[in-house]
Amino acid sequence: MSSTILITRQLPESVLERLGAACQYRIGVVSGSITREALLTGLDGVEGLICQLTDRIDEAVIEAGSKLRIIANVAVGYNNIDVEAATRRGIHVTNTPDVLTDATADLTWALILSVTRRIVEADAFLRAGRFDGWDFEMLLGSGLTGKTLGLIGYGRIGRAVARRAAGFGVNVQYCSREDVAFRDDPRYQSRAVPSSPLASPINQSAHFDGLAARHVSFYELVESADIVSLHTPLAPTTRHLIDRETFRRMKPGSYLINTARGPIVDESALVEALDAGHLAGAGLDVFEDEPRVHPGLLQRQNVVLLPHIGSATLETRTAMARLAVDNVMDWIAGRMPRNKVN
Ligand code: DGY
């Protein structure tokens, strides 16, 4: 008898056709998010789950899926899934890396340009009928040439953002996940051998795809970057990584960009740093408590706010759906799912 898969939210027809040839599937909702009740009852008799980052797959949900063998998230981030609980029950968990790297890196640059050149503010200014002729000092922004971009997290997306920096004449510094996790441990700062093959020792340059990016410690990065951009997963070591103390250490007049996960930033501390004029602006695609946005951000002109659209191109979302289905089809065919994370 063929396997049954629950797909929490409708995926493109072309992708579903392939899956339909290999198994039976049910769809939770056509748009929006499946309710918790529908998720819990929908898991009855189901071996595979294809879910979205808005679906909270906690221990209770995993327990409700007594036959569950694979959970395929249609996202690269999988902080919505209790991976430990799944692993304890021998359930594969997969994500969708690579296919969204370029779209997310492009959007990061869209935010960098939007905040530094005041694009959204300028558009609103014109639409409000306030453009009554060119003026020498109208809507002056901040130039990028010669500035320093600090990337917190230097995985696929961080490196794709770095590659694009060369075209803007921007210097790149980065710190890795390890630099973040051990940022307050003095022994780690003086280590001789980097633990990641992509990381050079601190204060040396890593060459990747012909690109020179300087590897610095977390604190050196926040203290010297003109733009700090976040590209690290949400984990216990990164929750509120950008807090009051980090903002205090950030360069006056610098910008914060977040296309990773909202809870990496303490939003109240961000609002304080903006109110104090310490930060020049912020570009945010993700929020601490989505879809809620801190009211102190909504009123600000120097903040660009996007509704979590980092990977939102037709091509990318189709590729993400296809990859999630490929992982399930790997499992159906008795192979190891290609993007297993546990
Ligand atoms: C992800 O995949 O984790 C993004 O946040 C949405 O594409």
Side-chain angles (χ1 to χ4, degrees):
M1 210 180 68
S2 82
S3 313
T4 303
I5 309 298
L6 173 65
I7 303 171
T8 60
R9 190 230 181 265
Q10 175 82 36
L11 297 177
E13 278 305 331
S14 58
V15 173
L16 292 179
E17 260 171 39
R18 290 178 53 240
L19 185 67
C23 66
Q24 305 168 36
Y25 65 80
R26 310 177 189 146
I27 295 192
V29 288
V30 172
S31 65
S33 295
I34 193 168
T35 62
R36 188 163 173 88
E37 293 69 39
L39 177 59
L40 289 168
T41 53
L43 280 168
D44 188 35
V46 154
E47 284 109 344
L49 173 66
I50 299 181
C51 56
Q52 303 285 332
L53 61 87
T54 43
D55 302 325
R56 190 158 53 87
I57 313 299
D58 56 17
E59 184 135 29
V61 171
I62 291 169
E63 248 168 37
S66 54
K67 290 194 169 167
L68 210 49
R69 304 275 29 106
I70 179 162
I71 302 171
N73 214 29
V74 191
V76 67
Y78 47 87
N79 53 289
N80 57 311
I81 301 172
D82 186 339
V83 178
E84 275 177 27
T87 307
R88 278 199 298 277
R89 288 167 176 77
I91 300 170
H92 304 290
V93 178
T94 68
N95 69 343
T96 59
D98 299 315
V99 291
L100 47 72
T101 299
D102 286 327
T104 309
D106 290 348
L107 195 90
T108 302
W109 275 97
L111 281 172
I112 293 173
L113 287 162
S114 295
V115 284
T116 57
R117 296 300 304 273
R118 304 171 64 181
I119 304 286
V120 176
E121 189 186 343
D123 179 273
F125 175 90
L126 182 144
R127 287 171 200 266
R130 294 173 59 200
F131 178 39
D132 53 11
W134 186 87
D135 182 76
F136 186 68
E137 289 189 344
M138 183 172 64
L139 288 160
L140 297 183
S142 174
L144 289 175
T145 311
K147 298 281 170 65
T148 298
L149 171 65
L151 302 171
I152 297 183
Y154 203 53
R156 298 177 187 85
I157 297 172
R159 296 197 305 269
V161 172
R163 276 198 295 279
R164 286 154 175 75
F168 291 100
V170 165
N171 306 310
V172 179
Q173 297 188 342
Y174 73 93
C175 66
S176 66
R177 234 188 264 193
E178 290 88 348
D179 302 322
V180 167
F182 300 108
R183 62 191 179 282
D184 294 316
D185 183 342
R187 288 168 305 172
Y188 186 75
Q189 303 301 323
S190 57
R191 78 203 191 287
V193 184
S195 52
S196 151
L198 279 166
S200 55
I202 277 178
N203 283 323
Q204 286 191 19
S205 289
H207 292 269
F208 178 78
D209 283 1
L211 168 99
R214 198 159 148 260
H215 182 199
V216 295
S217 71
F218 174 77
Y219 289 116
E220 186 176 349
L221 186 144
V222 296
E223 284 168 5
S224 59
D226 298 292
I227 303 157
V228 171
S229 188
L230 307 179
H231 302 287
T232 183
L234 175 62
T237 50
T238 59
R239 186 173 291 274
H240 279 195
L241 172 67
I242 311 299
D243 59 5
R244 220 160 255 118
E245 171 61 9
T246 311
F247 283 120
R248 193 188 63 73
R249 293 175 80 147
M250 277 174 72
K251 202 169 159 180
S254 58
Y255 297 87
L256 177 74
I257 306 294
N258 190 5
T259 53
R261 282 291 182 268
I264 300 172
V265 177
D266 177 345
E267 263 172 23
S268 302
L270 169 61
V271 169
E272 280 171 30
L274 288 163
D275 284 348
H278 183 66
L279 243 58
L284 308 172
D285 184 43
V286 287
F287 302 92
E288 213 178 319
D289 184 24
E290 287 177 22
R292 186 189 154 270
V293 177
H294 193 297
L297 293 171
L298 288 169
Q299 299 138 12
R300 304 204 64 92
Q301 299 261 41
N302 57 346
V303 174
V304 175
L305 306 167
L306 300 178
H308 202 149
I309 57 166
S311 63
T313 68
L314 180 60
E315 296 86 344
T316 301
R317 288 284 163 84
T318 306
M320 289 165 70
R322 189 175 303 122
L323 191 52
V325 163
D326 283 344
N327 275 284
V328 171
M329 289 180 61
D330 284 341
W331 171 76
I332 291 171
R335 293 187 295 267
M336 187 60 80
R338 63 195 72 185
N339 302 115
K340 184 171 155 73
V341 298
N342 60 340

